[in-house]
Amino acid sequence: TFYYFVRLCLDKILLQCVLQSRTLSGADAINALRPFYFAVHPDFFGQHPKEREVNENSLKRLNGYLENLQKPGFRSFKPTQLTFYVREREPNSSNVQESFSASGFRAVSFTLHTRDLLSTVLDILNSCSLSTEHVQNLNVSSQSHKEAKSTVNRPIKWDKTYYSFTGFKDPEEELEQAQRVETTLISWLDDNEASAVKKLKKSLPLRKELERLKIELTRELQLSDIRWQRSWGIAHRCSQLHSLGRLVQQRPEILKNVKGRTVVFTDRSGMSAAGHIMLGTMDVHHHWTKIFERLPNYYKLQKRLLLLEDRISQLLGGIQVIYIEELQPLLTLEEYYETLNSFYNKVRDSRLPFHPHSLRGLQMILGSDRYAPSLHEFGHFMIPTVCDPAALQWFIFAKAQEARENLKRKEEMMITEKELIDTSTERFSLDRLYKEPSVSSAQMIDCCKRLLEESLPYLQGMHLCISHFYSVLQDGDLCIPWNWK
């Protein structure tokens, strides 16, 4: 007994030394992760809505992990898998602000299972192939991390009977087991159902208030719809609708031109390329008032934009120019008009020999985030504004038949997706089943088919979002990856 008591004391002392040697403050961690945040921050992915959304979700989960590590007595080290789109660096650039190229990015996936801030910071930087030299300038150096790591993996190992006798967990065995465990849908629901139900019940009064405000404002202003660009919480959305309601009471005369339009709460104010009224959530009523006053001018510009789309269509054999909100960045009407005008001048000057109406029924979207044309699975061409006219002509001719087949398949896929969503909602007694914009129809169909093969009583009355990650939103929505195990 005395032998084990001595070993226990020594073990505790060594463990305390290890933890002290690699203590890192939250402020130090944020400072050390600056290159990482600069490489993955969603604001730099404005031209890539899918990648932006993935990074937003991953950052939320990462911040939650970092916050938990700083909580006193935190002992849950469940592995957390994250995926980020990391902007590529120019190999010979010495300026940090200019070291990322605008031409591309890469996807990086890694699993966090570290027990302290320093190890986590270093793992993140190493996983993204980012330098860790600057970490040495902090109060805790990377060398201390190596020393701490070597202490944990010290050559002196207690016999397994020591842990059996004392009841303490073998840290090495615990870590190995955590790395082997793969999160499954059933196990995740077991762990998170209670938390989701609690949050959902708490949000129900606000959800009813949000629905009431939305119906009242939509009816009063005769709007087509009210939407949100981002997945803000219910309380945040209610606050935005209250602000719009106050403006309606204060300045009812400026809202006479909104009939039939859609209002979108987003990051900036103006009119979107799709013709929706954008209200910036950080703007005050003064800015919103100016937008409503400018609506007649926006409508005139929109007519010119539609005319420009028709002219481009005539030059390209009748192919229709469209704008898809889910697949394109949120552009203002002015930005999109400039994009169309630049492309129109290039096509007009090149005098491409497209036969009139030869491409009628086909669709294309314009973008500035790529250099080569491509064909989307839904049948529309994705054409870069900088595309060489000759290459554009060849690509459209070569892919025209495939595009028509994809368009037909799209209609079938949309019907199948809706049927599966309705069936799944009814089967599991869900209050709502929806997906994030970055989840394709094919992924949603696959997800629902596999869900219908399971028995999931946990989901009754819940809001289920099909995403790329597991998470419980602040209002109780359950998010699961479409390719769940």
mmCIF file of all heavy atoms in Angstrom, residues 456-479:
data_model
loop_
_atom_site.group_PDB
_atom_site.id
_atom_site.type_symbol
_atom_site.label_atom_id
_atom_site.label_comp_id
_atom_site.label_asym_id
_atom_site.label_seq_id
_atom_site.Cartn_x
_atom_site.Cartn_y
_atom_site.Cartn_z
ATOM 1 N N LEU A 456 -35.342 6.139 -35.106
ATOM 2 C CA LEU A 456 -34.776 7.284 -34.384
ATOM 3 C C LEU A 456 -35.857 8.020 -33.584
ATOM 4 O O LEU A 456 -36.333 9.092 -33.975
ATOM 5 C CB LEU A 456 -34.107 8.253 -35.371
ATOM 6 C CG LEU A 456 -32.966 7.658 -36.218
ATOM 7 C CD1 LEU A 456 -32.568 8.621 -37.322
ATOM 8 C CD2 LEU A 456 -31.761 7.347 -35.325
ATOM 9 N N PRO A 457 -36.283 7.470 -32.453
ATOM 10 C CA PRO A 457 -37.311 8.132 -31.639
ATOM 11 C C PRO A 457 -36.843 9.457 -31.056
ATOM 12 O O PRO A 457 -37.651 10.286 -30.638
ATOM 13 C CB PRO A 457 -37.582 7.107 -30.531
ATOM 14 C CG PRO A 457 -36.331 6.284 -30.443
ATOM 15 C CD PRO A 457 -35.814 6.205 -31.841
ATOM 16 N N TYR A 458 -35.505 9.662 -31.024
ATOM 17 C CA TYR A 458 -34.947 10.905 -30.453
ATOM 18 C C TYR A 458 -35.446 12.150 -31.200
ATOM 19 O O TYR A 458 -35.444 13.245 -30.660
ATOM 20 C CB TYR A 458 -33.419 10.924 -30.544
ATOM 21 C CG TYR A 458 -32.696 9.647 -30.239
ATOM 22 C CD1 TYR A 458 -32.555 8.656 -31.207
ATOM 23 C CD2 TYR A 458 -32.116 9.439 -28.993
ATOM 24 C CE1 TYR A 458 -31.866 7.482 -30.936
ATOM 25 C CE2 TYR A 458 -31.425 8.273 -28.715
ATOM 26 C CZ TYR A 458 -31.300 7.296 -29.690
ATOM 27 O OH TYR A 458 -30.621 6.163 -29.423
ATOM 28 N N LEU A 459 -35.813 11.995 -32.464
ATOM 29 C CA LEU A 459 -36.045 13.150 -33.336
ATOM 30 C C LEU A 459 -37.455 13.721 -33.232
ATOM 31 O O LEU A 459 -37.745 14.742 -33.863
ATOM 32 C CB LEU A 459 -35.760 12.766 -34.789
ATOM 33 C CG LEU A 459 -34.330 12.291 -35.088
ATOM 34 C CD1 LEU A 459 -34.188 11.950 -36.566
ATOM 35 C CD2 LEU A 459 -33.322 13.361 -34.691
ATOM 36 N N GLN A 460 -38.325 13.100 -32.494
ATOM 37 C CA GLN A 460 -39.714 13.553 -32.435
ATOM 38 C C GLN A 460 -39.808 14.997 -31.938
ATOM 39 O O GLN A 460 -39.307 15.348 -30.882
ATOM 40 C CB GLN A 460 -40.527 12.640 -31.520
ATOM 41 C CG GLN A 460 -42.008 12.994 -31.477
ATOM 42 C CD GLN A 460 -42.810 11.984 -30.676
ATOM 43 O OE1 GLN A 460 -42.272 10.959 -30.265
ATOM 44 N NE2 GLN A 460 -44.083 12.254 -30.457
ATOM 45 N N GLY A 461 -40.448 15.835 -32.758
ATOM 46 C CA GLY A 461 -40.654 17.240 -32.407
ATOM 47 C C GLY A 461 -39.450 18.135 -32.570
ATOM 48 O O GLY A 461 -39.499 19.323 -32.242
ATOM 49 N N MET A 462 -38.343 17.593 -33.113
ATOM 50 C CA MET A 462 -37.112 18.365 -33.222
ATOM 51 C C MET A 462 -37.016 19.096 -34.558
ATOM 52 O O MET A 462 -37.746 18.822 -35.501
ATOM 53 C CB MET A 462 -35.891 17.454 -33.055
ATOM 54 C CG MET A 462 -35.832 16.716 -31.730
ATOM 55 S SD MET A 462 -35.849 17.821 -30.296
ATOM 56 C CE MET A 462 -34.269 18.660 -30.514
ATOM 57 N N HIS A 463 -36.082 20.039 -34.611
ATOM 58 C CA HIS A 463 -35.699 20.722 -35.849
ATOM 59 C C HIS A 463 -34.373 20.108 -36.284
ATOM 60 O O HIS A 463 -33.365 20.238 -35.584
ATOM 61 C CB HIS A 463 -35.533 22.225 -35.624
ATOM 62 C CG HIS A 463 -36.820 22.934 -35.332
ATOM 63 N ND1 HIS A 463 -37.319 23.936 -36.129
ATOM 64 C CD2 HIS A 463 -37.728 22.770 -34.333
ATOM 65 C CE1 HIS A 463 -38.473 24.364 -35.633
ATOM 66 N NE2 HIS A 463 -38.730 23.672 -34.533
ATOM 67 N N LEU A 464 -34.371 19.444 -37.426
ATOM 68 C CA LEU A 464 -33.179 18.725 -37.894
ATOM 69 C C LEU A 464 -32.612 19.399 -39.138
ATOM 70 O O LEU A 464 -33.311 19.579 -40.136
ATOM 71 C CB LEU A 464 -33.521 17.270 -38.208
ATOM 72 C CG LEU A 464 -32.360 16.379 -38.673
ATOM 73 C CD1 LEU A 464 -31.316 16.252 -37.559
ATOM 74 C CD2 LEU A 464 -32.862 15.008 -39.092
ATOM 75 N N CYS A 465 -31.341 19.778 -39.052
ATOM 76 C CA CYS A 465 -30.649 20.424 -40.174
ATOM 77 C C CYS A 465 -29.583 19.470 -40.707
ATOM 78 O O CYS A 465 -28.752 18.971 -39.948
ATOM 79 C CB CYS A 465 -30.004 21.738 -39.712
ATOM 80 S SG CYS A 465 -28.973 22.526 -40.977
ATOM 81 N N ILE A 466 -29.608 19.221 -42.010
ATOM 82 C CA ILE A 466 -28.595 18.384 -42.645
ATOM 83 C C ILE A 466 -27.440 19.297 -43.045
ATOM 84 O O ILE A 466 -27.616 20.239 -43.821
ATOM 85 C CB ILE A 466 -29.157 17.646 -43.874
ATOM 86 C CG1 ILE A 466 -30.426 16.887 -43.477
ATOM 87 C CG2 ILE A 466 -28.109 16.698 -44.436
ATOM 88 C CD1 ILE A 466 -30.254 15.928 -42.323
ATOM 89 N N SER A 467 -26.259 19.002 -42.528
ATOM 90 C CA SER A 467 -25.110 19.882 -42.676
ATOM 91 C C SER A 467 -23.881 19.051 -43.043
ATOM 92 O O SER A 467 -24.000 17.983 -43.654
ATOM 93 C CB SER A 467 -24.896 20.648 -41.365
ATOM 94 O OG SER A 467 -23.752 21.447 -41.401
ATOM 95 N N HIS A 468 -22.700 19.533 -42.661
ATOM 96 C CA HIS A 468 -21.450 18.801 -42.867
ATOM 97 C C HIS A 468 -20.834 18.375 -41.534
ATOM 98 O O HIS A 468 -19.830 17.677 -41.521
ATOM 99 C CB HIS A 468 -20.449 19.670 -43.639
ATOM 100 C CG HIS A 468 -20.890 19.998 -45.030
ATOM 101 N ND1 HIS A 468 -20.718 19.151 -46.095
ATOM 102 C CD2 HIS A 468 -21.520 21.096 -45.522
ATOM 103 C CE1 HIS A 468 -21.211 19.705 -47.195
ATOM 104 N NE2 HIS A 468 -21.705 20.880 -46.870
ATOM 105 N N PHE A 469 -21.446 18.822 -40.412
ATOM 106 C CA PHE A 469 -20.874 18.558 -39.098
ATOM 107 C C PHE A 469 -21.974 18.265 -38.093
ATOM 108 O O PHE A 469 -23.140 18.565 -38.312
ATOM 109 C CB PHE A 469 -20.067 19.769 -38.602
ATOM 110 C CG PHE A 469 -19.072 20.294 -39.585
ATOM 111 C CD1 PHE A 469 -19.362 21.396 -40.373
ATOM 112 C CD2 PHE A 469 -17.852 19.679 -39.737
ATOM 113 C CE1 PHE A 469 -18.456 21.877 -41.283
ATOM 114 C CE2 PHE A 469 -16.931 20.147 -40.649
ATOM 115 C CZ PHE A 469 -17.225 21.244 -41.421
ATOM 116 N N TYR A 470 -21.576 17.682 -36.970
ATOM 117 C CA TYR A 470 -22.479 17.518 -35.834
ATOM 118 C C TYR A 470 -22.424 18.786 -34.975
ATOM 119 O O TYR A 470 -21.350 19.273 -34.646
ATOM 120 C CB TYR A 470 -22.045 16.338 -34.955
ATOM 121 C CG TYR A 470 -22.318 14.974 -35.542
ATOM 122 C CD1 TYR A 470 -21.284 14.203 -36.067
ATOM 123 C CD2 TYR A 470 -23.607 14.449 -35.549
ATOM 124 C CE1 TYR A 470 -21.529 12.938 -36.589
ATOM 125 C CE2 TYR A 470 -23.859 13.189 -36.072
ATOM 126 C CZ TYR A 470 -22.823 12.442 -36.591
ATOM 127 O OH TYR A 470 -23.067 11.200 -37.109
ATOM 128 N N SER A 471 -23.576 19.305 -34.614
ATOM 129 C CA SER A 471 -23.621 20.437 -33.681
ATOM 130 C C SER A 471 -25.058 20.651 -33.209
ATOM 131 O O SER A 471 -26.017 20.239 -33.872
ATOM 132 C CB SER A 471 -23.081 21.721 -34.333
ATOM 133 O OG SER A 471 -23.899 22.114 -35.416
ATOM 134 N N VAL A 472 -25.190 21.294 -32.060
ATOM 135 C CA VAL A 472 -26.494 21.716 -31.554
ATOM 136 C C VAL A 472 -26.505 23.231 -31.572
ATOM 137 O O VAL A 472 -25.695 23.867 -30.901
ATOM 138 C CB VAL A 472 -26.744 21.195 -30.116
ATOM 139 C CG1 VAL A 472 -28.085 21.707 -29.602
ATOM 140 C CG2 VAL A 472 -26.700 19.678 -30.084
ATOM 141 N N LEU A 473 -27.392 23.827 -32.363
ATOM 142 C CA LEU A 473 -27.452 25.277 -32.466
ATOM 143 C C LEU A 473 -28.027 25.884 -31.195
ATOM 144 O O LEU A 473 -28.640 25.186 -30.376
ATOM 145 C CB LEU A 473 -28.289 25.690 -33.673
ATOM 146 C CG LEU A 473 -27.804 25.169 -35.035
ATOM 147 C CD1 LEU A 473 -28.656 25.748 -36.162
ATOM 148 C CD2 LEU A 473 -26.328 25.505 -35.261
ATOM 149 N N GLN A 474 -27.843 27.184 -31.030
ATOM 150 C CA GLN A 474 -28.228 27.841 -29.785
ATOM 151 C C GLN A 474 -29.726 27.777 -29.517
ATOM 152 O O GLN A 474 -30.167 27.903 -28.369
ATOM 153 C CB GLN A 474 -27.773 29.301 -29.808
ATOM 154 C CG GLN A 474 -28.424 30.140 -30.903
ATOM 155 C CD GLN A 474 -27.808 31.526 -30.985
ATOM 156 O OE1 GLN A 474 -26.602 31.690 -30.909
ATOM 157 N NE2 GLN A 474 -28.651 32.522 -31.141
ATOM 158 N N ASP A 475 -30.532 27.559 -30.570
ATOM 159 C CA ASP A 475 -31.978 27.484 -30.393
ATOM 160 C C ASP A 475 -32.496 26.051 -30.425
ATOM 161 O O ASP A 475 -33.704 25.826 -30.539
ATOM 162 C CB ASP A 475 -32.685 28.321 -31.455
ATOM 163 C CG ASP A 475 -32.382 29.805 -31.310
ATOM 164 O OD1 ASP A 475 -32.631 30.346 -30.221
ATOM 165 O OD2 ASP A 475 -31.882 30.412 -32.272
ATOM 166 N N GLY A 476 -31.576 25.076 -30.341
ATOM 167 C CA GLY A 476 -31.990 23.685 -30.213
ATOM 168 C C GLY A 476 -32.060 22.891 -31.495
ATOM 169 O O GLY A 476 -32.431 21.713 -31.473
ATOM 170 N N ASP A 477 -31.726 23.488 -32.631
ATOM 171 C CA ASP A 477 -31.705 22.738 -33.889
ATOM 172 C C ASP A 477 -30.563 21.718 -33.855
ATOM 173 O O ASP A 477 -29.444 22.045 -33.456
ATOM 174 C CB ASP A 477 -31.507 23.669 -35.082
ATOM 175 C CG ASP A 477 -32.682 24.612 -35.284
ATOM 176 O OD1 ASP A 477 -33.120 25.213 -34.281
ATOM 177 O OD2 ASP A 477 -33.148 24.754 -36.420
ATOM 178 N N LEU A 478 -30.862 20.496 -34.270
ATOM 179 C CA LEU A 478 -29.849 19.451 -34.366
ATOM 180 C C LEU A 478 -29.237 19.471 -35.765
ATOM 181 O O LEU A 478 -29.964 19.389 -36.754
ATOM 182 C CB LEU A 478 -30.473 18.075 -34.116
ATOM 183 C CG LEU A 478 -30.886 17.730 -32.686
ATOM 184 C CD1 LEU A 478 -31.769 16.496 -32.687
ATOM 185 C CD2 LEU A 478 -29.660 17.485 -31.821
ATOM 186 N N CYS A 479 -27.937 19.587 -35.844
ATOM 187 C CA CYS A 479 -27.246 19.547 -37.127
ATOM 188 C C CYS A 479 -26.450 18.248 -37.212
ATOM 189 O O CYS A 479 -25.660 17.941 -36.312
ATOM 190 C CB CYS A 479 -26.287 20.736 -37.285
ATOM 191 S SG CYS A 479 -27.124 22.320 -37.403
#
